[in-house]
Amino acid sequence: MFTVGGQRILVIDAQVHVWDASPHNQAIPDGEAYATDLLRRHRELDGAGLPPHDVERVSEHSLTRDVFEGGYVDRAVLQPVVLGDLFVLGFSPLEWHAEVAGWMPGRFVLSGELDPGGGQPGARGLGPRVRRFDLRGLTLCERRRPAGWQRLGDPWLRRTLARCGAAGADVVHIGVGPSTLPAPWRREEKSAPTSPPGVARDRPPRVPGWAEPVRAGSALPARTRAAERVAPAGFDVAQFRELARALPDIRFVLGAGCLPGPRLCRLAELPNVYVLLTEILPWTDSLDFAHAFGQLLAAYGPERLLFGSGYPLVRPGRLVRELAAYRFPDELRHRYPRFDTAAKRAVLGGNAARLYRIGRAVPAASTAVAAGA
């Protein structure tokens, strides 16, 4: 249990992954290269605090130690990402999440995934899975893989989401997943001058030479160009508007870095759209964060912003402390809405509790931690 301004608040991490990117699960070479990217991003965002094997494969011990010990996080939402073409047994599948949730009852809420590579046939049986696992939400990435492209305007998708919502999974994350890319503003600065119109931006780096099949000793022919391990994040905004308007009872959650700031803020006119702050939270000490967060706070209000760490890329304790103590710099204090105790209570856990139907009672194992601790 975390204390802000003398008040005890419920903290819910709305983006936690339990994944296995260890060598035995990698589909070489692309799975290995993707795992390398994840380790690099972890070192950039969270320092060298965790041994590599704890980042590659999340265990019950590391999950308990890094997420729940210390009393910063009370509950978490497990977001699955299968990536079956990069990892033999799946990267972060729902079945593993269900097993982990059984180890620690009352700690987790489960979410499912709608695979863009599977199309309409891949969505069959999703409704029964929602009821079987008590799923409260779904993850949908329009371009999870280069070969899989899911149009948000497809009629069958609208019907599927409506059925899943009626079954209990009425929160849909669009394009939210582990990111190996820099902060949103750094991506824009890096790619804006060099990307010609119509060309995809933020392509992942080439597969290292040592990972090429021939150099690794395989008899397969060498690749002439690197495979795009995961397609660039993004979605058709016009199609998304139609989808959100057609399904007013579904709450859609977008990543804070999924679109340029002004375009993302314009979507606040849709009352069933929320924003997950995971992609910008590691930089709370920068002016870029102050502007990005202030614009989202002004557009969506504190009632439609969600806290998320993206663990294990970043351990949530530091993010909770920094967000709970956050104040806008003096020069921006009158430009953006006040981020007071009530707003912090909503962003850190109140909004996620409402969306995912999580009780406000705190697990008995939680201990109180003050914001200044």
Side-chain angles (χ1 to χ4, degrees):
M1 195 71 170
F2 200 73
T3 301
V4 178
Q7 301 181 23
R8 301 178 72 188
I9 65 172
L10 180 71
V11 178
I12 299 174
D13 192 332
Q15 187 183 357
V16 170
H17 305 281
V18 179
W19 65 46
D20 183 1
S22 53
H24 79 274
N25 195 29
Q26 296 166 4
I28 296 177
D30 291 344
E32 184 175 9
Y34 185 71
T36 300
D37 286 347
L38 289 176
L39 288 172
R40 172 184 56 81
R41 287 300 291 149
H42 169 74
R43 287 193 296 269
E44 293 174 357
L45 298 176
D46 205 17
L50 293 178
H53 62 81
D54 275 357
V55 182
E56 281 186 337
R57 189 180 192 279
V58 179
S59 65
E60 179 184 4
H61 171 70
S62 60
L63 188 65
T64 303
R65 177 196 64 202
D66 300 330
V67 176
F68 296 116
E69 284 185 1
Y72 292 106
V73 174
D74 299 304
R75 288 185 171 87
V77 182
L78 294 179
Q79 303 287 354
V81 185
V82 176
L83 295 178
D85 49 351
L86 301 185
F87 297 93
V88 179
L89 301 176
F91 179 61
S92 181
L94 169 61
E95 287 75 13
W96 192 10
H97 287 182
E99 182 178 349
V100 170
W103 298 340
M104 291 175 272
R107 286 293 195 177
F108 297 107
V109 168
L110 299 181
S111 192
E113 182 184 21
L114 185 59
D115 184 1
Q120 185 174 6
R124 291 172 183 165
L126 192 55
R129 285 168 67 84
V130 169
R131 290 183 286 270
R132 174 187 174 191
F133 292 103
D134 188 25
L135 304 182
R136 307 290 175 86
L138 296 173
T139 295
L140 168 62
C141 186
E142 187 186 34
R143 294 188 287 181
R144 175 71 72 203
R145 302 168 183 79
W149 179 280
Q150 175 56 60
R151 285 176 44 85
L152 298 183
D154 285 349
W156 71 263
L157 176 63
R158 187 178 304 180
R159 295 192 298 269
T160 298
L161 295 182
R163 285 197 298 268
C164 290
D170 55 358
V171 181
V172 177
H173 285 233
I174 301 288
V176 173
S179 173
T180 62
L181 299 174
W185 48 84
R186 296 180 184 177
R187 298 206 299 266
E188 293 174 13
E189 292 172 359
K190 178 180 178 180
S191 57
T194 58
S195 298
V199 176
R201 294 159 58 175
D202 299 323
R203 293 180 180 272
R206 288 183 56 84
V207 175
W210 51 263
E212 296 289 350
V214 166
R215 299 189 185 189
S218 170
L220 297 175
R223 296 168 183 242
T224 57
R225 65 182 184 86
E228 293 186 10
R229 296 183 291 281
V230 178
F235 54 87
D236 188 301
V237 176
Q239 291 183 14
F240 172 73
R241 284 180 181 274
E242 293 181 6
L243 183 65
R245 286 171 177 157
L247 299 173
D249 294 330
I250 300 293
R251 278 75 60 84
F252 292 92
V253 179
L254 306 178
C258 68
L259 292 172
R263 296 179 65 192
L264 181 59
C265 289
R266 284 197 290 271
L267 291 176
E269 67 187 35
L270 301 169
N272 56 336
V273 174
Y274 295 72
V275 173
L276 184 64
L277 300 174
T278 305
E279 293 170 291
I280 64 174
L281 284 179
W283 294 276
T284 53
D285 58 347
S286 72
L287 272 178
D288 289 309
F289 171 84
H291 285 293
F293 179 58
Q295 290 168 8
L296 292 173
L297 192 62
Y300 288 88
E303 299 80 14
R304 289 197 282 159
L305 300 180
L306 303 175
F307 168 79
S309 67
Y311 177 83
L313 280 182
V314 184
R315 289 168 290 181
R318 171 177 67 90
L319 303 183
V320 172
R321 293 194 304 269
E322 292 178 354
L323 188 60
Y326 187 75
R327 294 182 179 178
F328 286 103
D330 292 339
E331 62 270 28
L332 300 178
R333 193 160 295 171
H334 300 292
R335 182 172 177 178
Y336 298 118
R338 184 183 175 194
F339 191 49
D340 56 15
T341 300
K344 292 173 182 177
R345 184 191 302 113
V347 174
L348 283 169
N351 298 334
R354 186 178 73 254
L355 261 64
Y356 287 100
R357 306 187 300 281
I358 299 174
R360 301 302 178 102
V362 180
S366 295
T367 57
V369 179

